[in-house]
Amino acid sequence: MTIPTNSGPDSAPSSSSPGVTFGLDTFGDTTVDQHGARVHHAQVIRDVVEQAVLADRVGVDAFGVGEHHRPDFAVSTPDVVLAGIATRTERITLGSAVTVLSSDDPIRVFQRFSTIDALSNGRAEVVLGRGSFTESFPLFGLDLQQYEQLFSEKLDLFAALLPEEPVTWSGELRPPLVDQRVYPETEGGLRAWIAVGGSPESVVRAARYRMPLMLAVIGGPAGRFAPFADLYREANAQLAGTGSTGGPAPRLPIAVHSPGFVAETDQEAAALAMPHWLVNRNHIGRERGWGDAVEADFHREVRSGAMYAGSPETVAQKIAATVRTLGLDRFDLKYASGPTPHEDLMNSIDLYGRKVIPRVRELLDEARYEPGVPQTVSRG
């Protein structure tokens, strides 16, 4: 497949239409080349930049880069990678997937992303979470016994920074702030999401801080997350109060992040993605005491779980069903799972932007879908 190399009015479908938006996420998984040889972390990072540039060209709405501190992922500082991407792209929203706030400094996180916002002319966002790995805690000298307190307190401070006014704040884990301003300021505000893996308490916390919700659906059917989406909407209705004009506060969006891979056919997608998915799944599984997954597990996740792999039509149909089931405003495909070669990832990105996204929009229009309003599809 030929990858587009030119930009211009005819190089990408429009992404300016209102409604559901569509993103791509990567953790910078350490890849192999077409001969199976491991690619150096430095090259993987350069490849992530090229993947973002392509996503921008083919009409993807958002691009997220995750944070890890282990050998199977190349990106430990997503904000630095995003700053590089900001100077190579024109329209795509740039964010993290996720920023591990528990082991970072909230003020420095805000400063780094407000800098990305400047470099990108207002296209930055940050997704805050605890992450599913804990390597950053010993790396930065933090006590895992304070896992919950670290996230809770740092999130509270970060939320206090978002209005970009003088901050007076105190907590138990760092000295207080008194009438302190943080720079650089953004030109239009910084959007911050909270990433949640399935805890009702975390869902309500996102609503309490008036932050959009990013649900990480990485296994099983998306419908089982419907109670969390419903809870978030209910909590917002109760906690939102009134907006600046005196009426009801604006509705906050809900997004889903799930793994997937797009190829020309279902068979090709399975052949290219499954071996690398198994490497990733079983490497992590052995660390956590899970039994090894087999090919049947991959096919089950494709058929009825959280893996959005297949032809453009197959992936589009599944994404549309998830959007309608959960009442989503955004869907992000984590397009790399395991050491999939860069060339295959580029093909997947190209198909996602040129074929999957326009087809999902067609399906949602046919269903007369309204963002934020679930439609009964499969909530089991």
Side-chain angles (χ1 to χ4, degrees), residues 103-268:
S103 56
D104 212 328
D105 183 281
I107 294 174
R108 293 298 284 155
V109 171
F110 182 88
Q111 290 175 324
R112 295 195 295 263
F113 278 88
S114 63
T115 301
I116 297 168
D117 200 62
L119 291 171
S120 64
N121 290 305
R123 293 185 283 123
E125 64 181 14
V126 60
V127 182
L128 306 170
R130 285 177 277 199
S132 61
F133 298 94
T134 59
E135 287 86 356
S136 61
F137 286 81
L139 183 65
F140 298 122
L142 298 169
D143 185 357
L144 268 173
Q145 297 298 317
Q146 296 179 316
Y147 182 81
E148 175 60 34
Q149 184 183 9
L150 282 164
F151 183 72
S152 180
E153 188 167 303
K154 291 184 178 189
L155 179 61
D156 190 64
L157 174 53
F158 193 91
L161 302 174
L162 288 174
E164 301 189 43
E165 298 172 351
V167 174
T168 296
W169 178 94
S170 63
E172 297 180 4
L173 301 179
R174 59 158 293 156
L177 299 175
V178 179
D179 204 28
Q180 180 70 56
R181 280 194 173 274
V182 176
Y183 303 103
E185 298 173 340
T186 67
E187 294 172 306
L190 177 67
R191 168 169 281 189
W193 299 72
I194 294 183
V196 173
S199 159
E201 294 79 12
S202 296
V203 170
V204 173
R205 176 160 46 196
R208 188 169 67 248
Y209 283 113
R210 295 292 296 159
M211 292 186 186
L213 179 70
M214 178 76 72
L215 289 168
V217 182
I218 59 175
R224 70 188 179 95
F225 281 77
F228 296 106
D230 294 341
L231 174 63
Y232 181 71
R233 282 185 282 265
E234 292 167 5
N236 268 314
Q238 295 177 19
L239 299 172
T242 58
S244 59
T245 60
R251 183 183 66 81
L252 294 176
I254 301 176
V256 155
H257 153 108
S258 286
F261 183 84
V262 191
E264 292 288 355
T265 67
D266 292 348
Q267 294 76 16
E268 183 184 12

Side-chain angles (χ1 to χ4, degrees), residues 15 17-23 61 254 319 323-324 327-331 357 360-361 364 369-372:
S15 65
S17 59
V20 181
T21 56
F22 301 93
D61 296 305
I254 301 176
I319 291 174
V323 169
R324 295 174 60 201
L328 299 181
D329 300 84
R330 173 165 153 184
F331 181 92
I357 292 175
V360 177
R361 288 186 170 134
L364 296 178
Y369 173 74
E370 179 182 344

